[in-house]
Amino acid sequence: EFYGEYRSGKTQLCHTLAVSCQLSSEQGGGEGKCMWIDTEGTFRPERISKIAEKMNLSADDVLNNISYARAYNSFHQQSLLSQAASLMSEERYAILIVDSATALFRTDYTGRAELAQRQVAIGRFMRSLEQIAVEFGVAVVISNQVVAQMDSGSNLFGGTSLKPIGGNTIAHASTTRLSLRLGPGTSRICKVIDSPCLPQSEASFAITTGGICNADNESF
């Protein structure tokens, strides 16, 4: 799970993963196709082409290896997972990307009166993702939005507290949680919040025409 505010790099990371997953295992890739469920209309084929060129891959081949679907409401988003499973039973997929996982749930379930229903629906969706990951051996990557926590004690002293949407429902379902934020200059900072195999730490990265790279190598 990647979460962060607007312009923190969530969708750009997803674009880079959609290409790098098609690399060979010797190159650090997954040797498989990518499936992308888009809930906000953020997928950009032209970005994929540029990233593919930087990785010395055919842009047309890379785009042909991405199965794309746009979800228009949370019920549609859930139903797309059944179609995804059907495709994965026929071909080798390395990654399933959902960008973002929570946007449609936020608009379909509004107010505190529908909060419990929203959490149940999100839990059902996350459980389906976990089943797909286990059954087909694919990596599942979701991006998540954040919301300002107005009742946080840090705000009493002028601080800003942002928390990811979905609460404990997504927190418990996500194996690895990464927080993204804007860094100095054009850099972004990725922080490991929770992971079974990584310590809590931070790393800087930059967004270039060729995708994600180290912050000190922006010419990539």
Side-chain angles (χ1 to χ4, degrees):
E1 175 198 0
F2 302 134
Y3 70 81
E5 57 188 323
Y6 175 68
R7 293 182 59 246
S8 59
K10 302 185 297 295
T11 297
Q12 297 300 325
L13 272 169
C14 290
H15 278 83
T16 299
L17 287 172
V19 179
S20 62
C21 76
Q22 301 182 38
L23 294 170
S24 66
S25 57
E26 290 78 10
Q27 297 173 295
E31 298 185 352
K33 294 185 174 184
C34 168
M35 185 166 296
W36 188 304
I37 296 178
D38 185 0
T39 67
E40 298 183 88
T42 52
F43 179 76
R44 295 292 181 268
E46 59 271 21
R47 286 290 292 136
I48 296 293
S49 297
K50 291 291 185 181
I51 296 171
E53 290 172 6
K54 285 293 185 180
M55 294 187 183
N56 297 316
L57 297 172
S58 166
D60 289 339
D61 289 344
V62 168
L63 284 168
N64 287 334
N65 285 332
I66 298 177
S67 298
Y68 170 85
R70 176 71 190 273
Y72 293 99
N73 57 60
S74 59
F75 302 102
H76 185 207
Q77 181 176 329
Q78 177 71 42
S79 67
L80 284 174
L81 294 186
S82 297
Q83 299 177 42
S86 297
L87 290 173
M88 289 180 182
S89 65
E90 300 172 356
E91 297 181 276
R92 162 64 183 161
Y93 282 83
I95 193 170
L96 167 60
I97 295 171
V98 186
D99 185 32
S100 84
T102 56
L104 296 177
F105 291 99
R106 292 185 73 182
T107 56
D108 288 351
Y109 300 91
T110 58
R112 290 186 177 274
E114 296 185 332
L115 180 60
Q117 290 177 279
R118 186 183 78 177
Q119 292 303 99
V120 169
I122 290 177
R124 185 183 304 113
F125 181 74
M126 296 298 291
R127 186 166 59 251
S128 298
L129 289 178
E130 183 180 2
Q131 291 171 345
I132 287 176
V134 172
E135 182 174 354
F136 299 104
V138 301
V140 174
V141 173
I142 65 170
S143 69
N144 194 3
Q145 299 177 342
V146 294
V147 64
Q149 191 170 3
M150 302 306 296
D151 58 349
S152 172
S154 62
N155 285 299
L156 297 176
F157 303 96
T160 299
S161 178
L162 298 174
K163 64 177 183 179
I165 299 298
N168 290 332
T169 301
I170 287 188
H172 292 314
S174 299
T175 303
T176 299
R177 305 194 87 188
L178 304 177
S179 169
L180 307 181
R181 68 179 190 273
L182 296 175
T186 59
S187 68
R188 270 73 168 174
I189 298 174
C190 175
K191 180 178 181 180
V192 178
I193 301 299
D194 183 43
S195 173
C197 54
L198 296 173
Q200 282 197 353
S201 59
E202 293 185 351
S204 297
F205 66 94
I207 300 171
T208 71
T209 56
I212 299 300
C213 72
N214 291 331
D216 57 356
N217 189 28
E218 294 188 32
S219 62
F220 174 77

